[in-house]
């Protein structure tokens, strides 16, 4: 084993991935500890892995840029201001792994995005919607802080009935699909092309049955990038997309950004906004805890496959990091519609599979997670990249919501195992997506007590056992 590891280290050095800090076998990757957090820098505490740097830089920028049209619509701001927020938010996404020391590939609280858009639709675009989003941010951060300090997140999650959680997730799916039925009318050929390509690569059973090959592996690993490429070609041929590329450096509109989209400029939300934001904030926390459980499951598999590194998972640290990220975003660049979350699931799966393959591929889990983001930040300030990305931002947003809806739908369906619970989850989902989170939680709890009753609620372990029997 030791000889094999030395051979791999030699290969890593030859590839230019040697790092200043070496990890002892079976220990945590070294870094600079500060409080409960650990700082690790690329090229210092972890090696540079160019496949992650290049692909991650482009995909992070494209996906992050998908927020620009949303913020323009709901916050009534210019593209320049929206892009300034996108650029700065990329830095705060990166901090989860390099500054705070989590092994998660950070992202947004993506499943909450469709529900948040439904909530913001109740407020006038501009200052009112910005203040409503500020209220959500403060309440969600308060929940992160409370459950981080007390460690009661798991207990709270276990109290919420499974059909109600499934209904909340189903609501996110329904809201996502609703938004796309409207959006597709603006770029029908471009968006439908992107949908077909990405859904085929990621979920098509006939595609999965094709013989394995290097081409198939490359395409599967770059499904979203393939969707962008085909959408760009279809959009150019149909005339739906035009690209205007200029050379230069983008200067962030920092003053206007703080004046129009931050508490410094628009002031604090009203008391009624804080009250109205409580139900959706609770929903968001439930979705975040679900993301943490998914992330932990993935990391356990990686830990087992690579005994040379101990992956440190600490939910208290993650809760505190999310507080810092969301408040840092709020006071340096204004509100962010989906909020900062712990995991970008698709990328987490990709990096873990690379990490599990060998030490040559990724010396440390942090070699993948830290390198994935940093190039996106400088790319965001290059106007040629903005010229390429700007026409494709509706595609990026559409794919984000489509995949969110698709994933939320099958996760919600897998959580409930009897017909009453399935019907209840769908009803809660419809109420949440159409009428809002207050109806979703209020009517959902009432329907749950009437149709199922507290004493008949199966435990999560029983649900998992039933799912295994159904799939057998």
């Amino acid at each position: 084993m030791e000889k094999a590891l030395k051979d791999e280290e030699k290969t890593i050095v030859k590839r230019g991935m040697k790092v200043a800090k070496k990890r002892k076998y079976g220990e945590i990757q070294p870094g600079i500890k500060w409080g409960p957090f650990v700082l690790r820098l690329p090229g210092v505490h972890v090696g540079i892995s160019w496949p992650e740097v290049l692909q991650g830089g482009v995909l992070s920028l494209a996906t992050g840029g998908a927020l620009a049209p949303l913020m323009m619509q709901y916050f009534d701001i210019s593209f320049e201001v929206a892009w300034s927020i996108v650029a700065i938010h990329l830095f705060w996404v990166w901090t989860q792994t390099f500054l705070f020391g989590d092994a998660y590939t950070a992202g947004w609280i993506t499943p909450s995005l469709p529900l948040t858009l439904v909530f913001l639709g109740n407020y006038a675009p501009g200052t009112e919607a910005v203040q409503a989003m500020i209220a959500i941010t403060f309440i969600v951060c308060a929940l992160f802080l409370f459950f981080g300090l007390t460690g009661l997140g798991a207990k709270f999650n276990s109290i919420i009935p499974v059909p109600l959680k499934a209904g909340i997730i189903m609501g996110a799916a329904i809201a996502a699909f609703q938004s796309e039925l409207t959006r597709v009318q603006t770029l029908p050929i471009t968006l439908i092309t992107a949908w077909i390509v990405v859904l085929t690569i990621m979920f098509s059973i006939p595609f999965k049955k094709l013989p394995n090959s290097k081409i198939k592996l490359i395409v599967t690993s770059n499904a979203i990038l393939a969707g962008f490429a085909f959408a760009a070609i279809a959009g150019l041929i149909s005339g739906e997309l035009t690209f205007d590329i200029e050379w230069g450096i983008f200067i962030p509109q920092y003053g206007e950004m703080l004046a129009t989209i931050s508490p410094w400029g628009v002031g604090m939300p009203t008391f009624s906004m804080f009250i109205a934001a409580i139900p959706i904030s609770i929903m968001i926390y439930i979705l975040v805890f679900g993301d943490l459980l998914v992330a932990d499951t993935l990391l356990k598999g990686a830990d087992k496959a690579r005994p040379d590194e101990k992956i440190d998972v600490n939910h208290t640290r993650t809760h505190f990091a999310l507080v810092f990220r969301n408040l840092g975003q709020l006071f340096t660049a204004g509100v962010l519609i989906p909020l900062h979350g712990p995991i970008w699931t698709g990328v987490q799966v990709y990096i873990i599979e690379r990490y599990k393959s060998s030490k040559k591929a990724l010396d440390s889990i942090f070699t993948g997670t830290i390198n994935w983001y940093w190039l996106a930040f400088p790319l965001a300030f290059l106007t040629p990249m903005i010229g390429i990305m700007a026409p494709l931002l509706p595609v990026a947003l559409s794919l984000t919501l489509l995949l969110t809806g698709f994933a939320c739908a099958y996760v919600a369906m897998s959580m409930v195992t009897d017909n009453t619970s399935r019907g209840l989850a769908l009803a809660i989902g419809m109420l949440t997506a159409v009428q809002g989170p207050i109806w979703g939680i209020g009517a959902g709890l009432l329907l749950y007590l009437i149709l199922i009753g507290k004493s008949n609620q199966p435990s999560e372990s029983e649900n998992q056992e039933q799912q295994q029997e159904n799939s057998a």
Side-chain angles (χ1 to χ4, degrees):
M1 177 66 77
E2 291 183 4
K3 184 180 185 301
L5 286 172
K6 287 180 180 179
D7 290 340
E8 288 195 13
E9 285 179 0
K10 290 179 181 178
T11 303
I12 291 169
V13 171
K14 288 178 181 178
R15 293 181 180 181
M17 295 169 60
K18 183 176 174 64
V19 295
K21 300 289 185 180
K22 288 187 177 181
R23 179 183 70 249
K24 292 182 179 180
Y25 187 88
E27 294 189 359
I28 297 171
Q29 182 70 14
I32 300 174
K33 191 168 177 60
W34 61 288
F37 309 115
V38 181
L39 168 69
R40 296 182 180 91
L41 295 174
V44 179
H45 303 100
V46 297
I48 302 294
S49 178
W50 290 108
E52 277 64 44
V53 171
L54 297 175
Q55 184 178 197
V58 173
L59 286 179
S60 296
L61 181 60
T63 306
L67 297 179
L70 282 180
M71 291 186 287
M72 293 168 64
Q73 176 183 348
Y74 286 89
F75 298 152
D76 193 25
I77 54 177
S78 66
F79 173 80
E80 289 73 19
V81 172
W83 192 261
S84 300
I85 301 166
V86 167
I88 295 172
H89 113 280
L90 289 169
F91 169 78
W92 287 109
V93 170
W94 187 36
T95 59
Q96 182 83 16
T97 184
F98 98 87
L99 182 60
F100 297 116
D102 267 355
Y104 305 136
T105 51
W108 313 326
I109 310 175
T110 311
S112 73
L113 177 56
L115 301 180
T116 304
L117 298 182
V118 171
F119 178 80
L120 293 178
N122 297 320
Y123 297 92
T127 299
E128 194 174 84
V130 170
Q131 289 179 328
M133 195 66 224
I134 291 173
I136 293 176
T137 304
F138 275 125
I139 295 174
V140 171
C141 284
L143 290 173
F144 286 147
L145 189 60
F146 172 77
F147 286 115
L149 289 170
T150 62
L152 293 175
K155 179 66 175 176
F156 172 76
N157 189 62
S158 67
I159 292 173
I160 306 298
V162 173
L164 183 58
K165 285 189 281 190
I168 292 171
I169 297 172
M170 181 63 76
I174 294 171
F177 290 139
Q178 282 182 321
S179 68
E180 291 318 291
L181 290 175
T182 302
R183 198 181 318 279
V184 72
Q185 299 173 22
T186 60
L187 298 169
I189 296 174
T190 304
L191 293 183
I192 290 174
T193 300
W195 294 355
I196 292 173
V197 170
V198 173
L199 289 178
T200 298
I201 295 172
M202 295 188 68
F203 300 108
S204 170
I205 295 174
F207 180 80
K208 290 179 180 178
K209 290 181 178 180
L210 292 176
N212 291 327
S213 64
K214 288 186 177 180
I215 295 176
K216 182 182 177 182
L217 179 61
I218 293 172
V219 170
T220 304
S221 301
N222 298 275
I224 297 177
L225 203 56
F228 281 135
F230 278 92
I233 294 170
L236 283 171
I237 293 174
S238 64
E240 292 178 352
L241 297 180
T242 56
F243 293 86
D244 182 18
I245 300 175
E246 299 179 358
W247 295 95
I249 302 296
F250 174 75
I251 306 299
Q253 305 298 303
Y254 207 77
E256 186 180 353
M257 179 179 66
L258 292 181
T260 57
I261 204 168
S262 78
W264 308 115
V266 302
M268 294 296 288
T270 62
F271 180 75
S272 62
M273 284 182 176
F274 277 111
I275 297 300
I278 291 174
I280 190 171
S281 298
I282 293 172
M283 286 184 171
I284 289 172
Y285 183 77
I286 293 171
L287 293 170
V288 168
F289 202 87
D291 277 348
L292 287 175
L293 295 178
V294 171
D296 289 352
T297 301
L298 293 171
L299 287 177
K300 283 178 183 176
D303 213 2
K304 185 177 180 181
R306 288 282 302 275
D308 60 288
E309 178 179 14
K310 179 182 178 183
I311 300 176
D312 179 30
V313 175
N314 186 322
H315 282 186
T316 298
R317 179 185 62 209
T318 301
H319 278 66
F320 291 159
L322 290 173
V323 172
F324 278 110
R325 283 174 60 201
N326 281 291
L327 291 183
Q329 170 74 40
L330 181 63
F331 289 110
T332 62
V335 290
L336 191 71
I337 283 181
L339 296 180
H340 287 277
I343 180 176
W344 185 351
T345 306
V347 176
Q348 185 83 59
V349 171
Y350 167 77
I351 287 178
I352 283 178
E353 289 304 312
R354 283 261 296 162
Y355 174 73
K356 286 162 63 176
S357 65
S358 73
K359 197 170 187 289
K360 293 179 183 178
L362 291 176
D363 173 65
S364 166
I365 188 70
F366 294 100
T367 309
T369 59
I370 290 175
N371 280 296
W372 185 264
Y373 300 97
W374 64 261
L375 185 60
F377 187 62
L379 286 179
F381 296 96
L382 300 179
T383 54
M385 289 300 299
I386 298 174
I388 294 171
M389 293 294 176
L392 292 172
L393 294 183
V395 179
L397 175 60
S398 181
L399 288 176
T400 298
L401 288 171
L402 181 73
L403 293 176
T404 297
F406 202 91
C408 286
Y410 69 68
V411 168
M413 291 176 184
S414 70
M415 292 174 68
V416 285
T417 56
D418 62 85
N419 291 336
T420 302
S421 296
R422 292 188 186 102
L424 178 58
L426 179 60
I428 294 171
M430 288 295 296
L431 286 168
T432 301
V434 178
Q435 297 297 331
I438 294 178
W439 274 92
I441 288 182
L445 281 172
L446 181 61
L447 286 171
Y448 167 76
L449 292 173
I450 294 172
L451 297 177
I452 296 177
K454 189 176 185 305
S455 61
N456 294 321
Q457 168 65 12
S459 67
E460 298 223 13
S461 61
E462 289 174 336
N463 269 281
Q464 291 172 359
E465 290 175 4
Q466 182 63 46
Q467 289 172 31
Q468 291 173 359
E469 290 177 4
N470 290 342
S471 61

